[in-house]
Amino acid sequence: MHALALNFDFLFSNFSQLTVTGLALGAVYAMVALGYTMVYGVLQLINFAHSEVFMYGTFATLWTVYFMGGTAHTSGFALARMFAVAMVVAMVVSALVALLLERVAYRPLLRRNSPQLMALISAIGASFVLSESMGLRDNITRWIGLNDNFSRYVSGARDTRGLPMDIQTHKLFPIGNYQVTNIDLIVICCALLMMLLLDQFVRRSRLGRGIRAVAQDPESAALMGVNSTRVVQLTFLLGGLMAGAAATLYMLRIGATRFDAGFILGVKAFTAAVMGGIGNLRGALVGGLVLGVAENWGSALVGTQWKDVVAFVLLVVILLFRPTGILGESLGKARV
Amino acid sequence: MLLEVEGLCVNYGHIEAIRDISFSVAEGEITTLIGANGAGKTTTLKTISGLRKVREGRIVFDGKDITNVPPFERVKLGISQSPEGRGIFPGMTVRENLDMGAYARRDRKTAAYREDFDRVYQLFPRLQERVSQTAGTLSGGEQQMLAMGRALMARPRLVLLDEPSMGLAPRLIQQIFSIIAEIKAQGTTVLLVEQNAAQALRRADQAHVLETGEIVRSGTGEELSGDEAVKAAYLGGDV
């Protein structure tokens, strides 16, 4: 039996590595968190099926790489091109899943002014349907009667499926005693760029103003000529695009996925959204990065097996002292 | 008639909020609905804007039946509203709020659009002073001006004003009512809901008194100002 010892030596000797990889992980959390936060801002509803939107993005990435003929030897420019295409495909697929979700699981309830609890249950149900459809995809391809040539690619049912190649990392430049890799840099820069674009879209464009108007006062927004159904669709679409891009970045780092890969990542992203202040776009960014870094530091201190515990203890502590999250306020009231 | 409301019934849950209301609004005039709290004035306006479902009756705007047209489409047809409680977007700047007023317009890059900004700033110079301020930090009077200015940015043919004088200082109330007269003078038809009956009747061409969801009296503003029952109930006996 070991007493729980805090391993400060390990934390300090690997500080820069833990921080940089934590930021990369946190950037992925943040991008998924945006989907939770935007839908919450507009509908005051937690879209618990958003984790599956992300999971479909990981498979879209995986299969795109396979369909483009990726092998264990693909590398360099060919690999970069494959991932660029995969990201676009994953964004489209995730956006479509998100829109389908809105159409099937939410809109019929919203139209009838059902209580929020109904939408929550519908979300949880939709989440199971989406993830189990992926987990039972072998049966599904058989039922539809797809030919073996196709189903060979997508089979694997409930196993973890990985990319055909090991992604080669290249050391770029040192921060402290850690050599930052090209993958770290790509993930962090890509995520920040996408979030910057989204932030500017919501702040500056007419449609972005429509989103904020519905979040701040839905009745007034209708009086201004805002079609709230379109706005809700748009938030699901944007959330899906972000989750799809996050999924490709996740695959770039982790390299493998499974039908239930969305669950824990979704819970973490949701945690990040709440921690940053749900409904607040910049809060999702801050929450994601804080969570990613804290998880890495925490698991260095107390052991990797405590990683998830660290994340949720942090959530509870932050909410104890700042119930509205780090940046506080919702999309409704915040000056987004 | 620019707007015709015929036999309108609206329920609020199981309660009948308005019962068989009929009235019309002539182009270029100020029409006012007065009445006590809960008489159904706000519900009437919300129904005209499309925020409340009609149980019976119909609403005709400029000869077109709009009873089942969704609210965001009605804005395009030329109806805009400054809602009860102002309904400004607290997290947006004054400028962004005014931009929201023009959300449904397709001519947002033209000179006409910029002229409309100038027109709103002329009516409400305070808004121009505070153009970059977050709307949630404005005073009550300024928020009211913003709500009205925002409604005008839609370039409406008919503007619905819900209790523009509510909660304002007497001096400011005077100012708001003269601005309403100015809006009419500039050619926009006004449907005004007010609890401040004295002021509303003085400015109104046509007036209707609502009591528990029904119209109990109608006439010109002048006629109703002189009506003994109206005086007793809404004007404190003395105008």
Side-chain angles (χ1 to χ4, degrees):
Chain A
M1 289 288 285
H2 294 279
L4 184 65
L6 295 183
N7 193 345
F8 281 102
D9 283 351
F10 185 72
L11 173 64
F12 290 133
S13 56
N14 294 288
F15 189 76
S16 30
Q17 171 170 16
L18 291 167
T19 307
V20 172
T21 54
L23 286 174
L25 178 67
V28 173
Y29 289 160
M31 288 179 82
V32 180
L34 286 169
Y36 285 102
T37 245
M38 287 184 66
V39 168
Y40 182 84
V42 168
L43 291 177
Q44 275 77 53
L45 178 132
I46 307 295
N47 175 13
F48 271 113
H50 189 58
S51 49
E52 313 316 329
V53 172
F54 167 83
M55 182 270 289
Y56 274 73
T58 63
F59 276 98
T61 306
L62 181 75
W63 291 335
T64 306
V65 169
Y66 274 103
F67 278 120
M68 286 179 76
T71 67
H73 306 292
T74 312
S75 63
F77 180 71
L79 185 65
R81 201 188 53 189
M82 246 173 224
F83 264 89
V85 174
M87 182 177 277
V88 174
V89 173
M91 287 171 77
V92 170
V93 167
S94 289
L96 289 176
V97 173
L99 288 175
L100 181 77
L101 196 62
E102 188 273 332
R103 186 71 193 80
V104 175
Y106 296 116
R107 202 187 301 172
L109 296 173
L110 296 172
R111 191 174 288 155
R112 291 191 200 100
N113 284 321
S114 310
Q116 303 248 315
L117 188 60
M118 300 297 170
L120 192 71
I121 292 167
S122 177
I124 293 170
S127 173
F128 275 110
V129 170
L130 286 171
S131 89
E132 286 302 315
S133 321
M134 187 54 89
L136 296 170
R137 61 185 182 278
D138 288 0
N139 305 44
I140 294 173
T141 48
R142 213 173 308 131
W143 288 334
I144 310 174
L146 286 176
N147 64 43
D148 290 347
N149 208 10
F150 179 83
S151 46
R152 184 165 54 89
Y153 280 114
V154 302
S155 71
R158 305 175 93 78
D159 304 333
T160 301
R161 295 294 311 268
L163 292 167
M165 69 289 288
D166 279 331
I167 309 278
Q168 296 297 317
T169 58
H170 299 285
K171 297 185 165 77
L172 294 182
F173 55 86
I175 292 184
N177 59 0
Y178 175 62
Q179 292 285 334
V180 177
T181 70
N182 53 345
I183 303 299
D184 294 332
L185 205 64
I186 289 171
V187 171
I188 294 174
C189 292
C190 210
L192 289 181
L193 179 70
M194 306 262 332
M195 285 186 275
L196 183 74
L197 287 176
L198 179 71
D199 190 67
Q200 289 302 304
F201 175 79
V202 172
R203 264 163 202 273
R204 305 221 184 276
S205 72
R206 170 174 172 270
L207 285 171
R209 260 204 302 277
I211 292 177
R212 288 156 61 204
V214 172
Q216 294 178 21
D217 191 331
E219 269 203 351
S220 278
L223 291 178
M224 303 299 117
V226 180
N227 181 344
S228 64
T229 308
R230 286 275 168 282
V231 163
V232 169
Q233 268 182 328
L234 180 65
T235 57
F236 273 84
L237 173 79
L238 292 172
L241 290 174
M242 287 289 150
T248 302
L249 298 178
Y250 172 92
M251 289 303 283
L252 199 57
R253 277 186 65 84
I254 311 290
T257 185
R258 206 167 71 165
F259 75 102
D260 60 356
F263 178 72
I264 193 74
L265 194 123
V267 173
K268 292 283 177 61
F270 175 62
T271 304
V274 173
M275 229 160 70
I278 189 128
N280 186 327
L281 289 187
R282 293 181 177 181
L285 173 63
V286 172
L289 296 180
V290 167
L291 186 66
V293 171
E295 243 185 49
N296 267 8
W297 288 351
S299 46
L301 269 182
V302 296
T304 322
Q305 68 274 30
W306 294 91
K307 190 177 169 191
D308 296 343
V309 177
V310 170
F312 297 118
V313 167
L314 182 69
L315 172 71
V316 171
V317 170
I318 286 183
L319 290 187
L320 272 179
F321 292 102
R322 270 193 75 87
T324 53
I326 300 171
L327 294 193
E329 298 180 300
S330 70
L331 195 61
K333 284 152 210 129
R335 274 147 228 156
V336 285
Chain B
M1 285 296 162
L2 185 60
L3 179 80
E4 284 161 279
V5 173
E6 297 166 11
L8 200 65
C9 302
V10 178
N11 280 19
Y12 204 87
H14 292 291
I15 303 156
E16 282 187 309
I18 53 181
R19 270 194 303 267
D20 196 22
I21 282 187
S22 299
F23 67 94
S24 55
V25 175
E27 187 142 27
E29 289 191 349
I30 295 178
T31 304
T32 186
L33 304 175
I34 59 171
N37 249 337
K41 309 187 297 291
T42 294
T43 304
T44 307
L45 284 202
K46 283 189 169 171
T47 311
I48 294 169
S49 284
L51 297 176
R52 295 285 174 268
K53 278 217 167 69
V54 173
R55 186 168 62 82
E56 249 183 84
R58 55 187 214 133
I59 303 167
V60 179
F61 180 72
D62 196 23
K64 183 178 185 258
D65 186 332
I66 59 163
T67 315
N68 295 311
V69 172
F72 60 89
E73 295 283 353
R74 297 189 198 196
V75 182
K76 287 181 203 158
L77 294 174
I79 302 177
S80 80
Q81 185 181 153
S82 160
E84 187 191 27
R86 294 141 198 167
I88 55 144
F89 301 110
M92 295 189 195
T93 64
V94 168
R95 167 78 200 204
E96 286 178 314
N97 266 277
L98 293 175
D99 267 326
M100 275 311 298
Y103 190 87
R105 282 172 64 168
R106 292 284 159 213
D107 62 344
R108 269 170 291 104
K109 294 216 160 65
T110 64
Y113 181 57
R114 285 189 291 277
E115 276 166 27
D116 284 344
F117 265 104
D118 292 339
R119 178 182 165 213
V120 168
Y121 291 147
Q122 246 163 34
L123 287 173
F124 308 102
R126 278 302 270 280
L127 294 184
Q128 190 162 23
E129 291 166 24
R130 318 224 154 205
V131 69
S132 308
Q133 193 173 326
T134 309
T137 64
L138 296 175
S139 73
E142 289 163 347
Q143 290 192 2
Q144 185 56 55
M145 293 176 187
L146 180 57
M148 289 171 68
R150 187 181 61 175
L152 292 176
M153 282 307 295
R155 209 172 242 240
R157 297 182 61 195
L158 170 66
V159 64
L160 313 176
L161 303 176
D162 197 344
E163 306 248 12
S165 77
M166 188 161 63
L168 300 186
R171 196 172 47 84
L172 211 50
I173 293 179
Q174 285 296 339
Q175 202 186 333
I176 292 282
F177 276 101
S178 53
I179 289 169
I180 293 171
E182 176 62 24
I183 291 171
K184 172 194 167 183
Q186 291 181 359
T188 307
T189 309
V190 178
L191 176 55
L192 172 68
V193 152
E194 258 304 334
Q195 282 198 62
N196 189 332
Q199 284 282 353
L201 291 177
R202 188 181 307 158
R203 307 281 181 178
D205 298 293
Q206 286 292 319
H208 308 276
V209 181
L210 270 168
E211 256 171 39
T212 58
E214 287 171 290
I215 291 181
V216 292
R217 260 191 175 67
S218 299
T220 64
E222 217 171 321
E223 281 165 13
L224 290 193
S225 298
D227 186 294
E228 289 306 319
V230 172
K231 266 190 192 169
Y234 301 105
L235 303 176
D238 193 36
V239 186

